Amino acid sequence: MPKSSPPSPPEGTAATAAPPKTDVPVLISGAGPTGLLAGILLAKMGIRTQIIERDMTVSPLSKALSLHPRTLEILRQTGQDLSTRFEKQSWECHMVRMYFGGKLTAELQWTPAMESQFHHTWGLPQTSTVRLLTEEYERTGMGYIDRGWELVGTKVIEDIVGKKTTSWVETTIRRAVEGTNSRKGESAVLGTVEQAGDDEGKQYEIKVVKSDFLIGADGGRSTVRHVLDIPFPGRTRDANIILFDGHIDTDLPLDEMASINGTNLHAVGIFPLYGNRVRFLLSDGTLTEEEFAARKVKTPTKEYFERLLEETVTPHKIKILNYNWLTYYRANERRATKFVYKQRIILAGDAAHTHSPMGGQGLNTGLQDSYNLAWKIAMVLKGTAPLSLIDSYNEERIPIADEIIQLSSKNLNFFISESYWFFQARKIGLALFSYLAPYLPTGAGGPTFAMLGLRYYKNSLNKEHATHHNAPTAPASIGRRAPDDVVYPLAADSTPVRLYNLMNTLGAFQILVFTADCQFQKHGLEATLFTDVEHYQRSWLARWPGTGTGTAAGVAASKASPQFMVHIISHLGLDATVGDNNLKKESGYGKMYLDSEGGDLHRRYSITAKGGIVVVRPDTHISYRVESFDKAAWLDVDKYFGSILCRS
């Protein structure tokens, strides 16, 4: 772990013809974390991409600082090497110190997220995140970043011949002949969603790119969203927040986050980076009515910032040694009315939703947008799934965005008002709060902040079976993240392995077969089960070419496709015959593993005594489950795949 302190379509779907030859399967606008991860995931599923980015260089600003446990799982699923590189440059966040009026009131420990192999949030500046993702994207050799090019127009072309509809995207991009694409007077305030006008007289080189899909990951000021005239309703908060990034000298410890609430009724959040480099978020009241109406903020001078900071942290001392960044932040709480345009253009990240940085959810939500989207695009391009699958991105990510916007809004409300609230509370017993604070639930390591509890709902992709008995709030219900835990290979000298490390084939459905305590060996069910697994993997390979990654060891022998990986999990003692046969199997091709002695994984998946089959989507959310693993259950799973994938 990181160091502990900083340094053919289904029923009801219109027939869709393949588009004409395009320049690139997927064009991505924006080389930030969201666009880069989408490019990496698509590349590892065999899909070429092109990323256009207006800026000639990567932004040096630290921006987002947090990688939550769910995001860390996604990075691990993307690649062990990538995850390791992130681990080496990150640090774990364990707590926040709270000061009131100069007094250390509480040290709130983050609750470890024990439902994941990643128990804590990792700290890492966005500059490092972008660099690591850029290196990984270039390493794939399946795409390139065109810097200096910006999107100026895009449209979906539709050609209808008889009952067949052909569609693709045509995008106009440009590059300044001299200089850069930056505009005069362009706002440097972070969080701005308004676009700047063009400079007069600037000359551009112009090209048109034809692609099957366009991903708009071009930030809060998204040109993709603007040119498609997709509304971006919500509100701009009137809170003034100053952002600082630089090196300091201080008498405060810099090994963990801190929140200081000053007697001047202002607050500052302190986020350690490396050594004595920190990020400050300093509350500076609210905009005047005139400033708010004009969508303008004051420019923070060094003198003003240092004076306000000193007043807020007193009696503690902070000396600014240098500045990397000093600006105001405008919190926009907005969400596009739709994320998918004509099934070919998709908004992701800040282009689709914006909110305050409180809680560190923004970058993480954008990366999770890409994780939800990439495998769906890959399946459509490979001919495995109908184009209508893209609509599920819209259905699933809009509720998530709404939830995150609401959460960050509550966090912002607390931050800008906490000094006033707590100093008023002194009149009725701040001492009581000081005593209770260390015992209050922080939630920071829980499902909400860790982003492990975010779930999708029933739709065309997530379907319930009649035998699905557990409530929608249960950990392994339809739409929820699949629980992770350790399982044990049958070989006596084998070490435990995490389930998520078995489910590491990008773009593949993972079918988990739980044998429970159904007298598995007594009735010779192991032979029947192994036969069913091999039969259906062969059948699915013939009907749906795989988009999964990796070397499908054993494919020639088992005729299985990386698109459908099967893992059998039992918590019974198995005889030598079963063990010998199982050792010859490759992981994902009906290989059996043992649950813990207490059947922890069976319990976490709410498996009954009859056992069951659970279908886990390529993004590790549960999309279908059926009780038992008899022939009727396998037939139901087969029908489920037939209902969401193209007909053979």
Side-chain angles (χ1 to χ4, degrees):
M1 300 301 290
K3 48 188 178 296
S4 59
S5 60
S8 154
E11 292 290 336
T13 303
T16 306
K21 182 175 177 58
T22 54
D23 300 310
V24 65
V26 182
L27 178 66
I28 301 172
S29 179
T34 300
L36 286 166
L37 183 62
I40 293 167
L41 292 168
L42 287 164
K44 293 193 174 188
M45 289 181 279
I47 305 299
R48 292 187 304 107
T49 62
Q50 175 186 353
I51 300 178
I52 57 170
E53 170 56 54
R54 192 186 76 159
D55 294 334
M56 295 299 297
T57 59
V58 176
S59 170
L61 307 181
S62 55
K63 296 185 180 180
L65 301 175
S66 302
L67 297 171
H68 295 310
R70 178 55 179 162
T71 301
L72 299 176
E73 289 183 341
I74 290 171
L75 293 174
R76 173 60 183 81
Q77 298 299 101
T78 303
Q80 175 65 66
D81 291 344
L82 177 63
S83 179
T84 299
R85 289 194 293 275
F86 268 90
E87 180 181 337
K88 289 180 178 178
Q89 298 191 31
S90 304
W91 58 88
E92 286 187 352
C93 304
H94 295 109
M95 70 173 181
V96 59
R97 296 186 177 94
M98 301 191 72
Y99 298 81
F100 295 96
K103 178 184 177 182
L104 177 61
T105 304
E107 292 185 342
L108 302 184
Q109 300 284 338
W110 300 145
T111 305
M114 301 309 296
E115 59 267 48
S116 171
Q117 64 179 303
F118 302 99
H119 302 331
H120 293 277
T121 290
W122 291 2
L124 189 69
Q126 185 169 320
T127 46
S128 298
T129 297
V130 170
R131 176 176 52 78
L132 290 169
L133 292 177
T134 299
E135 292 170 354
E136 182 73 6
Y137 176 71
E138 293 174 343
R139 192 176 284 112
T140 67
M142 291 291 289
Y144 56 95
I145 302 174
D146 258 341
R147 292 198 171 273
W149 289 90
E150 65 175 331
L151 181 147
V152 292
T154 188
K155 58 185 176 181
V156 175
I157 307 298
E158 296 177 316
D159 185 16
I160 303 175
V161 179
K163 295 183 178 181
K164 297 282 188 179
T165 300
T166 304
S167 64
W168 64 93
V169 184
E170 289 187 0
T171 301
T172 302
I173 63 176
R174 72 181 182 187
R175 176 175 60 184
V177 175
E178 295 182 358
T180 69
N181 290 324
S182 61
R183 320 290 194 254
K184 294 178 181 178
E186 196 165 15
S187 176
V189 175
L190 195 66
T192 301
V193 296
E194 292 82 16
Q195 284 194 311
D198 282 349
D199 289 345
E200 294 183 4
K202 185 175 282 189
Q203 299 296 312
Y204 295 96
E205 176 185 358
I206 296 176
K207 293 196 303 187
V208 175
V209 180
K210 185 185 294 185
S211 62
D212 299 275
F213 292 97
L214 167 67
I215 300 176
D218 50 348
R221 307 180 200 184
S222 173
T223 303
V224 175
R225 190 185 65 241
H226 278 90
V227 300
L228 294 178
D229 199 25
I230 297 176
F232 202 42
R235 62 175 177 170
T236 302
R237 303 294 298 271
D238 63 355
N240 265 346
I241 300 175
I242 301 176
L243 297 181
F244 163 85
D245 179 333
H247 294 81
I248 67 170
D249 186 16
T250 181
D251 57 1
L252 292 163
L254 294 179
D255 57 332
E256 296 285 358
M257 293 182 289
S259 174
I260 299 178
N261 303 272
T263 55
N264 62 349
L265 304 186
H266 289 259
V268 60
I270 303 176
F271 303 87
L273 299 178
Y274 303 105
N276 64 339
R277 180 184 173 188
V278 300
R279 161 83 69 80
F280 290 142
L281 273 71
L282 178 60
S283 65
D284 187 22
T286 58
L287 296 170
T288 65
E289 291 185 8
E290 293 77 12
E291 289 172 330
F292 185 78
R295 292 293 192 271
K296 294 181 179 179
V297 297
K298 297 175 292 184
T299 300
T301 65
K302 295 179 180 179
E303 295 75 17
Y304 176 79
F305 167 71
E306 290 185 15
R307 183 174 68 252
L308 180 59
L309 178 66
E310 181 181 5
E311 294 172 353
T312 303
V313 303
T314 189
H316 295 286
K317 304 296 183 182
I318 295 179
K319 180 181 179 181
I320 306 299
L321 301 179
N322 60 54
Y323 290 80
N324 295 327
W325 188 22
L326 182 66
T327 186
Y328 273 101
Y329 177 84
R330 293 307 313 276
N332 273 285
E333 296 170 353
R334 300 180 179 276
R335 193 258 292 164
T337 54
K338 59 183 176 182
F339 294 177
V340 175
Y341 179 83
K342 295 187 177 181
Q343 300 178 322
R344 292 288 182 183
I345 302 176
I346 305 101
L347 299 177
D350 287 353
H353 41 74
T354 63
H355 48 79
S356 87
M358 301 303 170
Q361 306 284 301
L363 178 146
N364 293 270
T365 304
L367 294 178
Q368 291 169 38
D369 286 345
S370 294
Y371 195 53
N372 179 285
L373 177 63
W375 68 272
K376 297 176 181 179
I377 290 179
M379 283 194 178
V380 172
L381 289 173
K382 294 284 188 175
T384 301
L387 184 59
S388 59
L389 180 64
I390 304 301
D391 291 328
S392 67
Y393 172 83
N394 196 73
E395 297 169 344
E396 294 179 338
R397 296 308 293 174
I398 281 181
I400 296 296
D402 289 342
E403 184 176 343
I404 297 300
I405 291 171
Q406 183 180 34
L407 173 65
S408 63
S409 181
K410 291 179 179 178
N411 293 336
L412 177 60
N413 291 341
F414 181 79
F415 177 73
I416 63 179
S417 63
E418 59 182 342
S419 289
Y420 174 82
W421 191 92
F422 280 111
F423 276 99
Q424 292 299 311
R426 291 186 69 176
K427 300 176 182 178
I428 58 174
L430 181 58
L432 177 62
F433 173 81
S434 301
Y435 176 77
L436 294 176
Y439 306 100
L440 296 177
T442 68
T448 300
F449 276 88
M451 307 185 82
L452 297 169
L454 300 177
R455 60 86 51 94
Y456 305 135
Y457 296 88
K458 288 189 295 183
N459 57 25
S460 58
L461 180 60
N462 308 317
K463 301 185 178 184
E464 285 192 349
H465 187 270
T467 60
H468 179 234
H469 298 305
N470 59 324
T473 55
S477 59
I478 299 303
R480 290 199 173 274
R481 162 191 168 273
D484 187 22
D485 211 329
V486 297
V487 292
Y488 300 83
L490 297 192
D493 59 346
S494 296
T495 56
V497 59
R498 296 200 71 94
L499 181 61
Y500 268 40
N501 292 348
L502 296 178
M503 301 193 301
N504 62 354
T505 303
L506 284 176
F509 285 98
Q510 307 287 334
I511 297 91
L512 307 180
V513 185
F514 293 89
T515 65
D517 56 354
C518 57
Q519 297 180 317
F520 183 62
Q521 292 178 61
K522 183 177 180 180
H523 297 291
L525 293 179
E526 74 277 4
T528 301
L529 176 56
F530 293 153
T531 299
D532 287 339
V533 168
E534 184 171 352
H535 166 74
Y536 280 104
Q537 282 192 302
R538 286 175 182 269
S539 173
W540 296 334
L541 170 62
R543 294 156 65 186
W544 300 296
T547 61
T549 60
T551 57
V555 169
S558 67
K559 301 301 182 183
S561 168
Q563 183 68 70
F564 305 92
M565 310 299 284
V566 181
H567 313 275
I568 302 172
I569 302 169
S570 173
H571 64 83
L572 297 173
L574 299 173
D575 63 26
T577 302
V578 174
D580 290 343
N581 291 336
N582 190 65
L583 291 176
K584 301 174 184 177
K585 296 181 179 295
E586 298 288 340
S587 179
Y589 298 94
K591 190 176 184 65
M592 182 178 288
Y593 298 86
L594 293 178
D595 199 350
S596 65
E597 187 174 343
D600 290 340
L601 202 58
H602 280 69
R603 176 180 48 79
R604 296 186 67 186
Y605 276 83
S606 302
I607 300 299
T608 69
K610 295 181 179 180
I613 304 175
V614 178
V615 178
V616 179
R617 303 165 11 160
D619 55 4
T620 62
H621 282 260
I622 295 171
S623 59
Y624 190 73
R625 54 179 297 160
V626 58
E627 190 177 69
S628 182
F629 53 92
D630 58 15
K631 292 193 177 297
W634 278 103
L635 183 59
D636 285 340
V637 172
D638 183 69
K639 290 178 179 178
Y640 164 72
F641 284 127
S643 73
I644 66 170
L645 304 178
C646 289
R647 288 199 186 101
S648 54

